[in-house]
Amino acid sequence: FVPRCGDPLLGSPSLTRSRHCRHLGACAAALARFGDSSGDSSGDLAVAAEQLRLARRELGRITGHVGAEDVLDVIFRDFCVGK
């Protein structure tokens, strides 16, 4: 991810946290999948929309935006609700 995130020794732009680089990479991958699915006229719009949602979610993890879905994920993962 160094080309995408930059080299902190060379100046900005850079994402110095590995977490940011990981989320940016996941966002770029989702956008690439969106591009692959939307280029075909027979592509499923629901699949393309899901890729955009995943990309937005990864950016939100960098900027600090937390949605209800994220809170529910943590609750069910960490607190074992329903087991």
Side-chain angles (χ1 to χ4, degrees), residues 41-72:
S41 61
S42 65
D44 187 354
L45 289 179
V47 172
E50 176 65 8
Q51 295 309 316
L52 288 178
R53 188 191 68 78
L54 292 172
R56 182 193 56 82
R57 183 177 181 185
E58 293 298 330
L59 286 178
R61 289 180 173 172
I62 294 171
T63 62
H65 174 76
V66 177
E69 184 177 305
D70 296 318
V71 172
L72 290 174

Side-chain angles (χ1 to χ4, degrees), residues 3 10 12 14 22 40 60 81:
L10 298 176
S12 58
S14 68
R22 187 174 60 250
D40 183 9
V81 172

